[in-house]
Amino acid sequence: MREWEEKRAEELAEYILVTQIVSLLLFLMIMASFFNVKLGSNLKDIFRLYPFWLLLAFCVSFYIFRQHFSRTAFFGANKIDEILLVVITLSLTFGFLWYSKDFFAAKILIIIPAIIAATAFGRYVGIGVAVISGALLFLFDYEMMRALPDRVFQTDLIISSVAVFSAWIMGGLMEI
């Protein structure tokens, strides 16, 4: 590989890592807001964020596991951790949405798996994850409320559209 290609690959890997870290921090901030955790809280309040700590533990273990898994070319050494991160964040997002019920700020979390998928796999995979997340969001709201009031439908439509648009933009930038 030429020197400029190596530099570009390193910068791209750094961009992906920073995007994933910021996404996970956004996840943490929304969960802290839901659980009403205040700065300077005691340890009991901090441990109420157990879903985030589980996510963080899984991510760290997968990054460590990746070092040992890199000899196998199943999905490619550089993609297995992203696949697992997308699956875990998607699962935790909808688990948290189900748990939090009417906490509207949690709905913005559907953007995180879409952005992670778009940065790791490109525009079309990111859009696919965003569409699936949006459809699940509509389904969850319908299941919880047994109907979709106008306010809820409009909120879901806007958030789903932002997720698709974000995935399209981020995936397009990554493909360039």
Side-chain angles (χ1 to χ4, degrees):
M1 206 185 301
R2 292 182 235 160
E3 184 178 328
W4 68 269
E5 289 175 326
E6 290 177 10
K7 183 179 179 197
R8 181 180 180 276
E10 288 175 7
E11 289 175 357
L12 190 60
E14 181 180 347
Y15 178 75
I16 290 171
L17 180 64
V18 169
T19 302
Q20 292 173 352
I21 289 171
V22 168
S23 297
L24 293 175
L25 288 175
L26 177 65
F27 195 96
L28 174 65
M29 289 187 314
I30 290 173
M31 288 181 61
S33 174
F34 175 74
F35 287 113
N36 201 20
V37 176
K38 296 173 181 39
L39 292 176
S41 297
N42 59 22
L43 244 40
K44 184 181 114 185
D45 290 337
I46 293 172
F47 283 117
R48 289 191 324 192
L49 298 175
Y50 65 90
F52 176 76
W53 299 121
L54 288 173
L55 173 67
L56 186 63
F58 278 127
C59 293
V60 168
S61 63
F62 288 136
Y63 280 110
I64 292 170
F65 179 70
R66 177 182 173 203
Q67 297 301 321
H68 300 294
F69 195 72
S70 62
R71 297 181 193 106
T72 309
F74 181 61
F75 281 111
N78 59 343
K79 296 296 180 190
I80 189 68
D81 53 346
E82 280 91 358
I83 292 169
L84 295 172
L85 187 59
V86 168
V87 168
I88 290 170
T89 55
L90 195 60
S91 302
L92 281 176
T93 295
F94 284 99
F96 185 66
L97 282 173
W98 187 261
Y99 176 75
S100 65
K101 303 282 185 213
D102 293 334
F103 186 61
F104 281 105
K107 291 182 177 188
I108 199 72
L109 289 175
I110 71 163
I111 295 173
I112 292 172
I115 288 176
I116 291 173
T119 55
F121 304 107
R123 178 183 335 190
Y124 296 112
V125 173
I127 290 172
V129 170
V131 167
I132 290 169
S133 297
L136 287 173
L137 182 62
F138 281 103
L139 182 68
F140 270 42
D141 280 343
Y142 183 77
E143 184 65 31
M144 282 190 287
M145 298 177 190
R146 296 291 178 212
L148 280 177
D150 291 341
R151 176 180 59 96
V152 174
F153 179 77
Q154 292 168 353
T155 303
D156 290 355
L157 187 62
I158 290 169
I159 291 173
S160 298
S161 299
V162 168
V164 169
F165 181 70
S166 298
W168 179 75
I169 290 287
M170 295 297 284
L173 289 173
M174 296 309 296
E175 289 173 1
I176 291 174

